[in-house]
Amino acid sequence: MELEQFKTMVARLEAESMAAPAAYKAKVAGLAVLGFGILALMLGALGFGLELLAGFAVVVVLTGGKALYLLFTLGKLLFLLAVPMWFLVQHAVKALFVRLPAPQGVPVVRAQAPALFDAIDGMRRRFKGPRVHQVLVVDEVNAAVVQRPVFGLVGWPRNYLLLGLPLLESMAPDEALAVVAHEYGHLAGSHGRFGAWIYRLRHTWGTVQAFAEQLQGWLGWLLRPLVRWYAPYFNAYTFVLARANEYEADAASVELVGADAAARALKRVNLVEPHYQTFVGKTLERMRDEARPPPDLAQRWADHALLPAPAEDAQKWLAEALDREGQVADTHPVLRKRLAAMPGQQGAELEALPPPRVGPSAAEAWLGEHLAVLRRGLQTAWAERLAASWSERHESIQQDRRRLAELRAAAAAAEAAATTGAAATLELDDRFEMLRLQTSLEIEVDQRDAWAAFNAEQPDHAGGLFFEGAERLYHDDAAGLALLERAVALDAELTKPACERAHAYLSKHKDAAAEAYAERWRARDELESRRLAELRTIDLKHPLAAPAPELVEAVRTLLTPAALVDVDAVYLARRELPSDPSMKTYVLAVTLDLCDRTQAKQQAVVDRLAAITWPVHLIVCTLEGDYAQLREPLQALPGARLRWLPGAR
């Protein structure tokens, strides 16, 4: 199901649910029953091979081995039946006992954090909910409850509680408990058993989809389309109930810790996320000057979280969060509606910042002495995970700095020469590169005037217009939008980065036009994906055109006698891609002498020619096998055959 189809269906179903809630629930229940039928079919198909195998074993025993005699007398017929049956049994066993990946994190047990498990036990008794089998600490601003079966589609479900350490470092214990209670409330169903049942089914079908993708052979061919058809419809029909279940989960947190703490928790989560991202962003800026990532990220965040974010930033983040719509598949209602559903959260109270945290954080209160161990482990893993990319980026920045210094020295020399009357100026490409590097390396400097001066001299330079437009939007200057549009008109390859910057700017200002840029980005991304697929292969249906004479000459100079060993003739033609006719891509096709047309010889020639650095994108092939049909159109194309090549026969 396409994204727009899903959005349209959800909007229709929301209206249907509001008009007749009971009838809608009955329809969803019927759809769930259909899902159980599909699950039964899957399990039945998977078990069919095992049943046949067991049945044959019983027959062998009961007949005293006579069935084995039948096995040999049926001969070839039985063999033809046995081969597919063996594959069915093999795939059934694998599928029934495949282990789907469990959530990842650092396990915490009761002996390490008794206060945390006491809080979990109290919550479970209050809600009369299922057991939490494992608690995992992760380095994310998040908390979640994940349910996974032990094996594939069989086995008892295991419940995992994921706790983000950066979040626990920022919240009071009652606020963190409110967040955990919300997640646990989805499973417990303390305010709506049907909604909780649907919530679990939605996650079950996520598991079923992952399971179906792992099925092999004709069994997968049979069952995957059925699952792919049903799952999106089930997701759309249950979306409305899943959104209502979010309010029920919020009510569970209110019941456990009170409306004040639950409201503070909701606001705090939406403030901690941008606060933490800002902190990490500033940490990543250190790669400009430091060759390795800092080894103490978690401890530094713990110290940083003691201080609230600047009031101006916090108020802006909360204002953005209150009315921010999630992605189309996100069942969470907007924050304003969730807060308004809680007692006492009306009027100005909705937009009031939560008070600064007083006392120990949830991390300190729940994890105790084990907190230091968790911090060390997570921050060490983070540093190791980033070490290679950090070092590579650091070296790249140093190279850019050295290049910028060279360009500035050249610019200064040109300026000094100009004062003496000499006609010395920096080349256009060098001037552009110098401005680009300044913009990238010196983000604290406003480069708008520099780019404006460059574009005044070069009004049709797509790159210059793009960077000026991006720089203006970065400084909250709406004039950047028109500049980005001019850049895209000159160079369509700038469409996606231009749309990204325009969308970010308009979203920040809550402008509805942001969605149009998102749609343009998606359309361009789809075109580029199709184009990339066409670029990578030679489609015999694509039209061919004669190459330009100057390209023919450039290619001819690269075809040395050593490159043309065993080659009889060479053809060069431009390929016209349906997705983007303006794309410059070519095919270099060669024929070999009759006695040299072995598979190994053809591959050796292709490898040798492909190793040459060509001035354009091209694919090398021999006019044999799959590409033999290209021989006739290439021979008929004027100018395609390259004549007088040194070494060619």
Side-chain angles (χ1 to χ4, degrees), residues 6-298:
F6 182 82
K7 291 168 66 176
T8 302
M9 178 176 287
V10 167
R12 176 176 62 81
L13 295 176
E14 283 181 331
E16 183 180 332
S17 174
M18 292 178 65
Y24 185 79
K25 284 187 176 181
K27 184 179 290 187
V28 172
L31 191 63
V33 170
L34 174 61
F36 283 120
I38 294 175
L39 288 176
L41 177 63
M42 291 180 67
L43 290 173
L46 294 173
F48 179 64
L50 295 178
E51 292 173 3
L52 286 178
L53 186 63
F56 182 74
V58 171
V59 169
V60 169
V61 172
L62 294 179
T63 60
K66 293 180 180 179
L68 290 176
Y69 175 76
L70 178 64
L71 176 66
F72 290 107
T73 57
L74 288 178
K76 184 176 180 180
L77 175 62
L78 189 59
F79 176 78
L80 293 175
L81 294 174
V83 170
M85 190 57 60
W86 163 248
F87 282 110
L88 172 62
V89 172
Q90 183 185 38
H91 296 323
V93 172
K94 286 183 178 179
L96 282 172
F97 296 101
V98 65
R99 285 186 69 93
L100 296 175
Q104 299 299 305
V106 180
V108 177
V109 298
R110 186 179 297 273
Q112 296 168 329
L116 169 61
F117 283 84
D118 288 345
I120 294 173
D121 291 343
M123 176 183 66
R124 183 188 176 197
R125 286 193 298 270
R126 183 72 172 268
F127 293 154
K128 299 180 176 60
R131 173 189 172 191
V132 174
H133 296 92
Q134 190 168 41
V135 177
L136 301 173
V137 175
V138 297
D139 59 349
E140 302 171 5
V141 183
N142 189 27
V145 171
V146 178
Q147 191 175 74
R148 287 286 185 273
V150 177
F151 299 105
L153 291 182
V154 299
W156 295 267
R158 289 182 59 82
N159 300 318
Y160 299 83
L161 173 61
L162 277 62
L163 297 173
L165 186 60
L167 185 64
L168 297 185
E169 299 273 23
S170 309
M171 306 187 82
D174 59 344
E175 295 170 352
L177 188 57
V179 174
V180 173
H182 172 95
E183 299 299 326
Y184 185 76
H186 286 305
L187 289 181
S190 57
H191 286 77
R193 298 294 177 181
F194 183 76
W197 179 62
I198 291 296
Y199 175 86
R200 291 193 293 272
L201 276 183
R202 284 171 61 84
H203 284 267
T204 296
W205 271 100
T207 302
V208 169
Q209 284 181 283
F211 169 82
E213 294 301 323
Q214 297 193 36
L215 291 177
Q216 302 295 319
W218 69 268
L219 193 60
W221 175 82
L222 177 67
L223 295 177
R224 268 196 302 273
L226 187 60
V227 173
R228 289 172 178 171
W229 166 81
Y230 174 81
Y233 280 94
F234 178 78
N235 185 33
Y237 269 86
T238 57
F239 185 92
V240 177
L241 296 180
R243 176 160 287 182
N245 189 251
E246 296 294 339
Y247 289 109
E248 295 168 358
D250 282 342
S253 67
V254 169
E255 178 181 329
L256 188 63
V257 300
D260 180 62
R264 279 191 282 112
L266 272 180
K267 292 180 179 180
R268 191 88 67 193
V269 168
N270 284 276
L271 295 177
V272 172
E273 173 68 25
H275 193 195
Y276 184 71
Q277 293 305 324
T278 301
F279 164 79
V280 172
K282 291 186 179 299
T283 300
L284 294 177
E285 289 177 7
R286 295 170 60 173
M287 69 176 59
R288 295 171 175 269
D289 303 302
E290 300 175 14
R292 290 179 295 276
D296 58 346
L297 181 79

Side-chain angles (χ1 to χ4, degrees), residues 305-329:
L306 289 172
L307 304 174
E312 182 179 352
D313 289 340
Q315 198 68 63
K316 181 186 71 172
W317 295 336
L318 181 58
E320 292 174 353
L322 282 171
D323 298 300
R324 181 172 56 233
E325 292 280 354
Q327 297 178 349
V328 66

Side-chain angles (χ1 to χ4, degrees), residues 476-554:
D476 222 25
D477 183 350
L481 291 171
L483 291 165
L484 291 180
E485 291 292 352
R486 287 175 56 196
V488 170
L490 290 167
D491 185 357
E493 297 302 312
L494 295 171
T495 300
K496 286 174 65 176
C499 286
E500 289 166 7
R501 285 155 178 80
H503 181 271
Y505 171 80
L506 293 170
S507 298
K508 174 183 175 182
H509 292 274
K510 299 182 179 179
D511 192 320
E515 181 55 30
Y517 280 99
E519 186 58 36
R520 282 178 64 183
W521 188 98
R522 287 190 287 267
R524 181 67 191 186
D525 184 64
E526 182 181 348
L527 181 147
E528 291 184 6
S529 297
R530 292 200 310 271
R531 186 178 67 185
L532 181 60
E534 293 170 0
L535 274 172
R536 288 174 172 172
T537 58
I538 299 176
D539 191 324
L540 301 178
K541 297 178 182 178
H542 292 173
L544 298 175
E550 56 271 20
L551 178 62
V552 171
E553 188 60 34

Side-chain angles (χ1 to χ4, degrees), residues 578-598:
S579 63
D580 187 358
S582 67
M583 189 71 186
K584 300 291 183 65
T585 178
Y586 298 81
V587 57
L588 186 76
V590 300
T591 59
L592 279 66
D593 190 71
L594 184 62
C595 61
D596 293 325
R597 293 178 185 177
T598 64

